[in-house]
Amino acid sequence: MLKNNERQQLEKFIETNPELSDIVSKVLESYKFNMSKFSHELRNPITLINSSLQLIESQHPEVKTFKFWNETMADIQYVRYLLDELSAYNQSDTMNMSEFNINELMDTICSSIRNDNCGLSTVTCTYNNSLPMIIGDAVKLRQVITNLLKNAKDAINPENGLIHVHIKNEDLDHILITITDNGCGIPLEYQSTIFEPFVTYKSNGSGLGLSICKNIIEAHQGTIHFDSQVNKGTTFYITIPTSQTVYT
């Protein structure tokens, strides 16, 4: 799996060697197909194992007192989560384009986050009605923003934590989305690698969440970056064009 800097180097190499573009495209398509096949083939037995364990538990409730039963069930769920994340990563640059209202999308996302064990005053969203309609993949962009909000929620103190989402017109052709929290921040030594696949500093993380976010934004021909200070908070900046042609 290519790291972000390796992929950028490959793109630059293709620009200087256009005849390689078709070959590289075929290699990448083959890679995506194999990854999808791998995920699918692995998911089937995992699903069967999970179903069998649930059946055992329903017919023999006493197994729940077994020392390692809960750990086994949790491990199965974690594997299924990793497969879902791997599938999402593999498809993160495949877009389903449509025109949508960014304000309505943000209303839905912020309401969902507020209702997800989060205080009503913790998340605030500000934007105005002059924002243009967006041409993009609303489902994928919702995935990005939701992921960043959940990360912010994990980073803040439940007692006094704050998360703010702000959207504005960056220029005539772009909007800027900022997501700011006053949480624990990202240590400096981690900041250069947080967008790399399978790099995680969470005990239960997959290391794919931010990689998926970056792929989705770049597939929209946009950019994503952040500023962070330990014990002060983090701000993510997402810039996306309002209209574009996405190549998949």
Side-chain angles (χ1 to χ4, degrees), residues 24 40 44 99 113 128 152 164 182 191 210 212 214 222 226:
V24 172
H40 176 75
N44 286 338
E99 187 177 55
I113 291 294
N128 57 60
H164 182 62
N182 63 346
Q191 294 186 14
L210 288 176
I212 292 171
K214 185 175 179 65
F226 67 93

Side-chain angles (χ1 to χ4, degrees), residues 22 38 52 222:
D22 289 341
F38 170 80
S52 297

Side-chain angles (χ1 to χ4, degrees), residues 78-229:
Y78 183 62
V79 171
R80 297 181 70 184
Y81 162 71
L82 289 178
L83 288 172
D84 289 342
E85 288 286 277
L86 184 61
S87 177
Y89 179 83
N90 197 42
Q91 298 298 321
S92 58
D93 59 353
T94 302
M95 299 290 106
N96 182 16
M97 308 299 288
S98 64
E99 187 177 55
F100 64 92
N101 187 311
I102 188 67
N103 291 21
E104 293 178 358
L105 179 66
M106 290 307 304
D107 281 340
T108 301
I109 295 171
C110 288
S111 295
S112 176
I113 291 294
R114 289 192 189 105
N115 294 331
D116 183 20
N117 300 319
C118 198
L120 292 177
S121 62
T122 299
V123 181
T124 57
C125 302
T126 59
Y127 37 85
N128 57 60
N129 293 326
S130 67
L131 290 172
M133 297 289 286
I134 300 298
I135 296 178
D137 189 321
V139 174
K140 292 288 180 65
L141 288 176
R142 176 171 181 167
Q143 182 180 355
V144 170
I145 297 168
T146 300
N147 184 282
L148 294 177
L149 285 173
K150 287 182 176 179
N151 285 348
K153 184 179 166 185
D154 290 341
I156 61 175
N157 185 321
E159 296 181 359
N160 57 8
L162 296 173
I163 302 169
H164 182 62
V165 182
H166 181 63
I167 311 176
K168 68 176 184 178
N169 293 306
E170 177 74 351
D171 54 39
L172 293 177
D173 301 313
H174 297 80
I175 64 167
L176 173 65
I177 304 171
T178 60
I179 300 174
T180 302
D181 68 69
N182 63 346
C184 60
I186 303 169
L188 183 61
E189 63 268 27
Y190 299 161
Q191 294 186 14
S192 63
T193 58
I194 66 168
F195 287 116
E196 300 293 351
F198 297 115
V199 175
T200 182
Y201 304 102
K202 295 182 178 180
S203 59
N204 60 343
S206 68
L208 289 173
L210 288 176
S211 296
I212 292 171
C213 291
K214 185 175 179 65
N215 286 354
I216 291 173
I217 296 303
E218 290 182 348
H220 281 83
Q221 301 175 11
T223 62
I224 178 171
H225 66 281
F226 67 93
D227 290 322
S228 185
Q229 296 185 54

